[in-house]
Amino acid sequence: MGIRCRTVAFASAVVLVGLGVIGCTPDDGGGTTTTTTPPSGIEGDYAVVAATAGQVTIVGSGSGASAQYTVSVKSPFRLSGALCSLPVGTVVATFSGVGPSFAATNNTFDAATCAVTSHTAVTTPTWLNGDNSLTLALNAKVGRYLLVRA
């Protein structure tokens, strides 16, 4: 079983190329799929385009089913609908497993102050895409973000 992702390109004034992810779902056998295996080096820096562009860093520990990953802000960016930018060092999400679908626990943020308001499991997992980018779904209110190797 693979995953199927639909994407739509959007214009950006920054050098980073961004894609807005419409959705990633487990493949039901129809359509084009991509089967992925997490690379040993999923850790590293990723560009993210939300309301503004920025970067996150993924740090990992463990391996296989016990692998744990933490996504934190490397350069500030503003989430869609927020009035502030997430500061450097802010933990955005954690996820675990071997992929391509990872169990995720994500922070939610106050739209005015960017303070963390909760850290909860989400029903939409983090996906490793065929091009080794990641689709991070913060929650239904905040939306999905494509993380591309920086």
Side-chain angles (χ1 to χ4, degrees):
M1 181 191 296
I3 60 171
R4 184 177 2 173
C5 294
R6 296 183 331 213
T7 59
V8 60
F10 61 89
S12 176
V14 295
V15 175
L16 305 173
V17 174
L19 294 175
V21 175
I22 301 300
C24 292
T25 58
D27 180 31
D28 59 6
T32 303
T33 64
T34 303
T35 302
T36 58
T37 301
S40 58
I42 198 170
E43 301 89 351
D45 296 336
Y46 290 79
V48 59
V49 177
T52 61
Q55 283 190 335
V56 295
T57 296
I58 298 177
V59 176
S61 64
S63 62
S66 64
Q68 301 284 323
Y69 301 95
T70 300
V71 182
S72 59
V73 176
K74 180 175 180 178
S75 66
F77 61 93
R78 187 169 41 91
L79 295 173
S80 301
L83 302 174
C84 52
S85 292
L86 296 176
V88 172
T90 301
V91 173
V92 176
T94 59
F95 57 94
S96 61
V98 294
S101 172
F102 298 91
T105 303
N106 302 317
N107 282 338
T108 56
F109 303 92
D110 181 288
T113 67
C114 283
V116 175
T117 57
S118 68
H119 187 75
T120 57
V122 293
T123 56
T124 306
T126 296
W127 285 99
L128 176 64
N129 303 312
D131 61 358
N132 288 330
S133 65
L134 292 163
T135 301
L136 179 68
L138 293 184
N139 61 39
K141 290 182 182 178
V142 177
R144 296 182 176 119
Y145 296 96
L146 185 66
L147 309 181
V148 179
R149 282 273 183 195

